[in-house]
Amino acid sequence: MQDVISRQRAYFDTNVTKPISFRIEQLLRLKRALEQREGVLQEAIAADYGKQRYETFITELLPVYSEIDAAIANVAAWSTPSPVASSPFTSPGRCYVMPEPLGVSLVIGPWNYPVQLTIVPAVGALAAGCTVVLKPSEITANTSAAIANLIAEAFDPAYVTVVEGGVRETSALLAHKFDMIFFTGSVAVGRIVYQAAAKNLTPVVLELGGKSPTIVAPDANLPLAARRIAWAKFLNAGQTCIAPDYVNVHRSIYEEFLDALAKEIAASRYGLENHNFVRIVNARNLERVAALIDQRKVFTGGLVDVDQRVIAPTVLRDVNWGDRVMGEEVFGPVLPTLVYDDIDDVVSQIKQRDKPLALYLFTEDAGTKRKILSDLSFGGGAINDAVVQVTNGDLPFGGVGTSGIGSYHGEAGFRSFSHYKSIVDREALTTAEEQQFRYSPYNDDYLKIMRQTLGIRPG
Ligand code: NAD
């Protein structure tokens, strides 16, 4: 691994990654490689967890293509130094901020969207002019191998390379010095990555998880809320970091909402018999998610097929915070629903816990929207929808508190892999004011003049 990293450092030090033309060429190369190997990626994902081709396209490939296209279109603008106004001590002179690539970067991916969540951060890195070591999740082993082949065929490993493996290999990578580490995964491993990065004071982006709440207010359009919540929850069989983890529903509409949800699940033909429904990634996760289903609280679903690794879309009713399902991120197709009477109680419950990665609110009431958006802190979210915030590349994507540090997508991704260098560029000339006010000997009259000039009132 030392050899891989040293070669990348030497390559970066040649400055070859810095011209915008080079970056665009490499982004195009990545796009071509993905287009050519789309079939292989599709098969690998299907082999890993039985995902249907269209779902794979919209959740794994489309986000990568969109990110590459946006980077190609905008990298020149993002890289252009931006001027700022001069201050008394820098005037006359030109002040500006110029982005520069951080250097050799490490991207560690999770298994739940194994292509998107490994390649999209890499697009930000390449746009910024960094070199990249990618470490896909070992749990989706077929996809990891497909990504490794694709990258090896398209790129010089001194520029972009894949290291495959699990805890042992990732730990070995983290023992080395990188200039930037981008991690997506669990909060527990996020802490390990942060500690490893701290040894070298390496900047990080941590894209983590947690329980993302959804609130359905009494005035919500219930059929639409049920439709969008069911889609967001059961997409990828609930193995989505920003899926609605649980739903708080106002008592006055609780039964009606549950019925709408059940109707939606039936109509969408999510379920055990439906070969379109994504598998749980492995037996361990299947067992973990199945154990969160309290059969006494099942409103619909509740069936587990261990051999097929499928859990039927499950809605739990009358759940409360003491239930086991509320003790951890569900990360599977099980949706606990909680009844509320007063929205202030919902706000207070959410505030007592870790800041979520996402929050969704279904209401058309402006006051309710204002209240939730101003009272609660969370990574990002949607009103009258769920999950779709991730599809707009102009919206920075990331968590807050334990749900993450930093953000990416579009320019935010470019920024995360860049250092913004502040520059003052002055003529080699001096002015009378500079002679008088900058250099000693100093004099109390200057203090008065300076305060007056700057509008600082006498104390
Ligand atoms: P994970 O933390 O188990 O694994 C993520 C990566 O870390 C993998 O590449 C794995 O090989 C590596 N890893 C695992 N244990 C390690 C260790 N001890 N030391 C070093 N590296 C280690 O996460 P996961 O199970 O792949 O993904 C699920 C979690 O990720 C959920 O909590 C989910 O919410 C979160 N997630 C967050 C986002 C986001 O964008 N914020 C996206 C997807 C998933």
Side-chain angles (χ1 to χ4, degrees), residues 109 111-112 117 135 138 170 184-186 189 207-208 241 329 397:
W111 55 260
N112 63 324
L117 298 179
K135 210 302 291 175
E138 74 285 8
T170 318
T184 305
S186 60
V189 180
E207 295 283 343
L208 310 177
C241 55
E329 181 181 356
F397 180 82

Side-chain angles (χ1 to χ4, degrees), residues 107-113 116-118 135-140 165-172 174 182-190 192-193 206-212 239-243 281 284-285 288 329 331 357 390 397-399 403-404 408-409:
V107 173
I108 303 172
W111 55 260
N112 63 324
Y113 290 92
Q116 182 199 159
L117 298 179
T118 310
K135 210 302 291 175
S137 172
E138 74 285 8
I139 291 179
T140 34
V167 177
R168 198 168 60 87
E169 292 76 6
T170 318
S171 306
L174 288 170
F182 190 107
F183 171 81
T184 305
S186 60
V187 176
V189 180
I192 295 172
V193 171
L206 301 177
E207 295 283 343
L208 310 177
K211 288 183 88 62
S212 296
Q239 302 165 113
T240 303
C241 55
I242 49 169
V281 75
R284 206 177 118 235
N285 270 283
R288 184 188 62 76
E329 181 181 356
F331 220 56
L357 181 59
V390 73
F397 180 82
S403 58
Y408 72 133
H409 287 183

Side-chain angles (χ1 to χ4, degrees), residues 29-313:
R29 181 188 293 269
L30 177 61
K31 187 172 179 189
R32 288 288 103 76
L34 285 160
E35 284 168 344
Q36 280 162 7
R37 292 205 153 240
E38 205 181 289
V40 179
L41 291 173
Q42 283 273 12
E43 279 167 28
I45 291 170
D48 281 328
Y49 62 125
K51 196 155 152 170
Q52 196 269 346
R53 290 173 69 83
Y54 181 69
E55 188 170 336
T56 297
F57 185 79
I58 59 169
T59 63
E60 288 275 47
L61 299 162
L62 185 58
V64 181
Y65 290 136
S66 309
E67 187 78 5
I68 295 174
D69 290 345
I72 290 171
N74 296 301
V75 63
W78 295 339
S79 309
T80 304
S82 36
V84 301
S86 259
S87 61
F89 282 93
T90 62
S91 186
R94 236 166 30 94
C95 296
Y96 57 90
V97 182
M98 61 174 289
E100 64 175 18
L102 281 168
V104 179
S105 68
L106 171 63
V107 173
I108 303 172
W111 55 260
N112 63 324
Y113 290 92
V115 173
Q116 182 199 159
L117 298 179
T118 310
I119 306 290
V120 169
V123 172
L126 300 189
C130 291
T131 69
V132 195
V133 176
L134 291 169
K135 210 302 291 175
S137 172
E138 74 285 8
I139 291 179
T140 34
N142 293 292
T143 312
S144 172
I147 294 173
N149 288 339
L150 180 151
I151 295 294
E153 278 180 17
F155 295 104
D156 180 345
Y159 176 47
V160 190
T161 194
V162 173
V163 172
E164 287 195 86
V167 177
R168 198 168 60 87
E169 292 76 6
T170 318
S171 306
L173 278 170
L174 288 170
H176 295 279
K177 183 181 182 336
F178 286 89
D179 299 310
M180 158 67 186
I181 300 176
F182 190 107
F183 171 81
T184 305
S186 60
V187 176
V189 180
R191 288 184 210 277
I192 295 172
V193 171
Y194 204 12
Q195 278 169 3
K199 290 204 184 89
N200 293 309
L201 294 179
T202 300
V204 292
V205 168
L206 301 177
E207 295 283 343
L208 310 177
K211 288 183 88 62
S212 296
T214 296
I215 304 167
V216 182
D219 69 301
N221 174 336
L222 292 187
L224 192 64
R227 165 152 272 212
R228 289 181 173 169
I229 291 170
W231 176 82
K233 179 68 183 187
F234 301 120
L235 186 76
N236 214 37
Q239 302 165 113
T240 303
C241 55
I242 49 169
D245 186 274
Y246 60 96
V247 191
N248 303 278
V249 189
H250 192 264
R251 188 178 302 279
S252 62
I253 48 150
Y254 189 56
E255 300 301 333
E256 204 185 328
F257 174 72
L258 287 181
D259 288 341
L261 208 49
K263 244 188 234 147
E264 188 52 43
I265 291 169
S268 312
R269 299 195 298 115
Y270 295 113
L272 291 187
E273 72 295 342
N274 181 355
H275 296 298
N276 281 349
F277 199 54
V278 173
R279 305 298 181 252
I280 304 300
V281 75
N282 57 20
R284 206 177 118 235
N285 270 283
L286 182 100
E287 205 179 299
R288 184 188 62 76
V289 178
L292 300 178
I293 303 174
D294 177 347
Q295 290 295 342
R296 293 165 307 174
K297 296 202 168 182
V298 169
F299 174 72
T300 181
L303 296 173
V304 178
D305 182 332
V306 175
D307 296 333
Q308 291 290 321
R309 289 203 329 268
V310 175
I311 297 179

